[in-house]
Amino acid sequence: MVNIMNTSKNYIIFLLLPFVFFGQDSTMESEYYDWFDEVLGKEHTGLYNGKQYVDLDVNKIHENKNAFFLSDKVMIGSVMYDGQTYHNIGMKYNLEKDILLATLKSGTTVSIIQLIRDKIDEFKIEGHRFVRIANVLDDNTSINGFYEVLLEDSSFSLLKKNKKNRRKHIQAGRLLSYEFISANSYILLMNKKYKKITTTRADIIKIFPEYKKEIKQFYEAYKRLRKSEPDKFMQRLFKSVINSSLSSL
């Protein structure tokens, strides 16, 4: 039934697109999809092609150090799922298990659905864009999961793996709670190859030895930024040093 409803939805939208979107921007397109889903009912959309999610860690989190991206609260985002883009969806991203959750309403019932990873092409949440990568690193290590796009250029893409690991809090031999500690990492897509990288100067120079002088100068100028905001540091490094150098070739 779901496949039939999705096919019907796409067919009707296709027929109406020339009339509805002619000369309009993506905001109107998003609003139109929302209107269509409201009429059709989100319970008939492909997002229900997942499984019910139950959070077993509720009331067991130490000092709100939870497993989720940004917050354990529901945030609004969009997702490209099984070839269809869904807008204004309530979402949560679990960084321990690397799973995306969608909160869907049917009448008075709210369901939390764990979306099937292999059906997700990309998603956006609070302005952060994630893509699913199923490939291998240059050392033949397999990777399959969601990576945040920090910087995308014609020559390379800088990607971040957001990850949290579980830590137990035990007192007097009794498990009291859990906290989740960030264990993030970065990969670089260049020349159609994925390579794991770190924020260390030596690692970056090893990849780009021809820009050794410029890289050293950048690290000296932005010591504090590297410690306080490593994502911004890496974005600025690749945008102002690496990208500029590559563009001048």
Side-chain angles (χ1 to χ4, degrees):
M1 180 64 179
V2 171
N3 291 334
I4 294 174
M5 297 303 291
N6 277 342
T7 301
S8 299
K9 174 180 177 179
N10 292 335
Y11 180 68
I12 295 172
I13 288 177
F14 175 77
L15 291 176
L16 294 178
L17 276 174
F19 304 99
V20 177
F21 297 139
F22 183 78
Q24 303 298 325
D25 56 21
S26 60
T27 300
M28 185 173 181
E29 179 181 352
S30 173
E31 291 175 351
Y32 180 72
Y33 272 104
D34 295 338
W35 168 81
F36 193 96
D37 280 335
E38 189 174 321
V39 173
L40 184 64
K42 279 195 169 69
E43 65 271 21
H44 298 302
T45 70
L47 284 179
Y48 271 86
N49 188 1
K51 65 179 182 180
Q52 194 80 19
Y53 175 82
V54 178
D55 190 350
L56 300 177
D57 296 322
V58 173
N59 301 322
K60 297 179 183 178
I61 303 302
H62 179 69
E63 295 181 349
N64 199 34
K65 295 179 181 179
N66 58 74
F68 293 92
F69 178 70
L70 297 181
S71 172
D72 61 347
K73 309 300 182 189
V74 174
M75 295 175 285
I76 300 300
S78 63
V79 59
M80 184 180 291
Y81 191 67
D82 203 17
Q84 172 71 48
T85 300
Y86 299 89
H87 301 275
N88 297 326
I89 300 297
M91 299 162 61
K92 296 170 69 173
Y93 175 28
N94 186 307
L95 299 182
E96 181 200 22
K97 299 178 180 178
D98 199 29
I99 57 176
L100 183 65
L101 309 175
T103 58
L104 305 175
K105 187 175 181 181
S106 176
T108 58
T109 303
V110 177
S111 300
I112 301 178
I113 303 297
Q114 177 182 327
L115 300 181
I116 300 171
R117 178 188 295 171
D118 291 347
K119 291 182 178 291
I120 302 171
D121 291 318
E122 66 175 80
F123 65 92
K124 294 179 181 178
I125 184 168
E126 291 294 310
H128 297 261
R129 177 177 169 235
F130 294 83
V131 295
R132 181 175 61 84
I133 297 175
N135 213 302
V136 293
L137 297 174
D138 60 345
D139 62 359
N140 290 322
T141 303
S142 296
I143 53 174
N144 187 353
F146 303 120
Y147 287 78
E148 182 181 359
V149 181
L150 295 183
L151 189 63
E152 199 169 32
D153 184 78
S154 58
S155 302
F156 62 85
S157 292
L158 177 63
L159 305 152
K160 177 186 178 183
K161 182 59 187 174
N162 290 271
K163 176 70 176 175
K164 287 187 179 181
N165 294 326
R166 180 184 298 256
R167 179 183 294 174
K168 296 179 180 179
H169 278 263
I170 299 176
Q171 186 174 341
R174 185 169 64 91
L175 175 64
L176 297 180
S177 59
Y178 300 102
E179 67 176 331
F180 293 85
I181 309 300
S182 293
N184 304 323
S185 59
Y186 302 92
I187 62 172
L188 180 68
L189 172 59
M190 190 172 179
N191 298 323
K192 298 182 179 180
K193 293 183 178 180
Y194 291 93
K195 180 180 181 62
K196 191 171 183 177
I197 61 174
T198 69
T199 63
T200 63
R201 182 172 62 181
D203 201 18
I204 303 301
I205 291 176
K206 186 177 180 180
I207 302 171
F208 303 101
E210 63 272 34
Y211 311 131
K212 182 176 181 179
K213 179 181 177 181
E214 292 83 356
I215 293 171
K216 281 187 173 181
Q217 291 175 341
F218 185 89
Y219 271 76
E220 287 297 320
Y222 295 98
K223 290 180 181 178
R224 292 183 178 179
L225 184 64
R226 181 191 167 200
K227 291 182 178 180
S228 61
E229 297 182 84
D231 289 356
K232 285 188 177 180
F233 175 86
M234 293 294 280
Q235 286 174 317
R236 189 171 296 181
L237 169 64
F238 275 83
K239 186 174 182 179
S240 63
V241 178
I242 308 302
N243 187 41
S244 297
S245 299
L246 290 172
S247 299
S248 64
L249 295 178

